[in-house]
Amino acid sequence: MTTNNLSQTGDFLSVTRANEWHLEPFSFSLDNGTQVDVLDTGVIQFTPKNCGSKDIVLSSAVHGNETAPIEICDELIKGIIKGELSLSHRVLFIFGNPASINIEKRFVEENLNRLFCGAHKKGEQNNEKIRAAKLEAYVSQFFNAFSDKNRKRIHYDLHTAIRDSKNEKFAVYPFLNGKPWKKEELSFLLSCGVNTIMMMKSSATTFSYFSSSMFDADAFTIELGKVRPFGENDMSRFEKAKMTLTQLITHDTVNYPEFNFADFELFEVYRTINRTQQDFSFPFSDSAANFTGFAKGELLATDGDTDYFAEVDGEAIIFPNAKVALGQRALLTVIPLQNKTDFV
Ligand SMILES: [Zn+2]
């Protein structure tokens, strides 16, 4: 398809997939006065005539094979361009890594979600590093368009997890450099069907940490379920997320049910266990579900002569991989969040 019938079809995903790394910018406006700016392949900005106080970034396909969020954003973009959805706020949609969508892989050369916060500048350049630099620039111009400090900046980076998870949907709340976590944001996540949240205690090179640390945006990496190919997603499982995102962009304000800690499972990162010996094993299979918890004293891993035991009741495993190279992380563990006072 060509770019000049985008205003009829709304099919920005096809335009994006046909232009893997580059697309000349172009603009048009909708009958309802919304300005549409295609900034690059996979990057489309909507500015409604009377825009509200939120600046919202919705990204997907930072990992190309994570199709469900791509399908959700594709539908939202089509709805907006066809005039079926009427925006209340400025929205920037990003399909992060179009070439990796086409090859149905997580990435082409390098994991895009480890290349933000300037990490793309390090080492030999490749397409993903160049893309990360451009995405940083598009997000910067989007958030910097207004100097008004009262505007609410939001960036939800939508993913699906590779493996099964005891808590199928979960979100990563980036490290806030000492600022308190926000209950209202957790309520938004709950409304999307996400009640499991990993609170990070250190900086990262992820897309969500970039927006959070650089622009004070309320930003999350949101895992909406398990990876499946296009067309094989049971979209009913994503209905809550899609509905909540639709409300977010089309309503001036959204009211969520009253916040209650009992509705959530909040975790904090506890430790990483590296493989240092050839002889490394887990007492569970590598496909064990994320967030499987262990009682204090239960065996978590054996690295040569060293046994690692759960040190805290409920210490839970994330992304176990016994086959990593020596010196690499074989396991991340989390524990129930210990201090619940750091919330506003
Ligand atoms: Zn992902």
Side-chain angles (χ1 to χ4, degrees), residues 185-239:
E185 287 299 313
L186 298 195
S187 295
F188 159 82
L189 291 170
L190 189 65
S191 179
C192 288
V194 179
N195 78 334
T196 304
I197 321 231
M198 229 162 93
M199 327 293 276
M200 301 306 283
K201 297 290 184 85
S202 59
S203 62
T205 53
T206 59
F207 206 4
S208 63
Y209 183 76
F210 170 74
S211 293
S212 172
S213 62
M214 295 294 292
F215 303 101
D216 212 9
D218 292 316
F220 293 88
T221 307
I222 306 178
E223 306 278 354
L224 288 173
K226 201 183 170 191
V227 166
R228 300 194 200 286
F230 272 122
E232 290 181 24
N233 292 301
D234 173 4
M235 291 310 280
S236 68
R237 302 172 78 160
F238 303 98
E239 209 40 57

Side-chain angles (χ1 to χ4, degrees), residues 121-159:
K121 290 179 193 145
K122 294 187 187 125
E124 209 173 306
Q125 289 299 294
N126 57 36
N127 280 325
E128 268 126 351
K129 283 181 177 162
I130 296 165
R131 181 72 172 166
K134 288 181 181 172
L135 295 184
E136 285 187 352
Y138 298 132
V139 169
S140 299
Q141 66 78 28
F142 181 73
F143 282 140
N144 284 332
F146 293 96
S147 54
D148 178 1
K149 286 237 163 27
N150 293 319
R151 296 187 66 78
K152 185 172 165 63
R153 293 168 170 170
I154 292 171
H155 180 182
Y156 299 134
D157 184 30
L158 307 171
H159 291 248

Side-chain angles (χ1 to χ4, degrees), residues 144-306:
N144 284 332
F146 293 96
S147 54
D148 178 1
K149 286 237 163 27
N150 293 319
R151 296 187 66 78
K152 185 172 165 63
R153 293 168 170 170
I154 292 171
H155 180 182
Y156 299 134
D157 184 30
L158 307 171
H159 291 248
T160 52
I162 303 165
R163 62 175 60 235
D164 279 321
S165 174
K166 181 174 149 281
N167 305 57
E168 189 197 50
K169 296 179 170 61
F170 67 95
V172 178
Y173 204 146
F175 178 51
L176 298 184
N177 295 284
K179 280 175 284 183
W181 321 104
K182 292 185 183 170
K183 290 178 182 172
E184 191 195 349
E185 287 299 313
L186 298 195
S187 295
F188 159 82
L189 291 170
L190 189 65
S191 179
C192 288
V194 179
N195 78 334
T196 304
I197 321 231
M198 229 162 93
M199 327 293 276
M200 301 306 283
K201 297 290 184 85
S202 59
S203 62
T205 53
T206 59
F207 206 4
S208 63
Y209 183 76
F210 170 74
S211 293
S212 172
S213 62
M214 295 294 292
F215 303 101
D216 212 9
D218 292 316
F220 293 88
T221 307
I222 306 178
E223 306 278 354
L224 288 173
K226 201 183 170 191
V227 166
R228 300 194 200 286
F230 272 122
E232 290 181 24
N233 292 301
D234 173 4
M235 291 310 280
S236 68
R237 302 172 78 160
F238 303 98
E239 209 40 57
K240 280 178 104 173
K242 194 180 154 198
M243 211 177 67
T244 305
L245 290 171
T246 305
Q247 284 179 345
L248 175 76
I249 62 178
T250 60
H251 289 45
D252 205 32
T253 52
V254 188
N255 292 314
Y256 303 110
E258 201 184 333
F259 179 85
N260 186 347
F261 273 116
D263 293 332
F264 296 90
E265 287 198 60
L266 305 179
F267 292 97
E268 61 184 278
V269 172
Y270 186 63
R271 57 177 162 169
T272 59
I273 293 174
N274 291 337
R275 178 188 186 189
T276 68
Q277 304 295 322
Q278 207 56 45
D279 175 22
F280 184 97
S281 64
F282 296 122
F284 45 82
S285 103
D286 262 17
S287 59
N290 276 336
F291 296 104
T292 302
F294 290 80
K296 189 176 173 179
E298 280 191 279
L299 183 66
L300 292 180
T302 302
D303 183 32
D305 293 334
T306 309

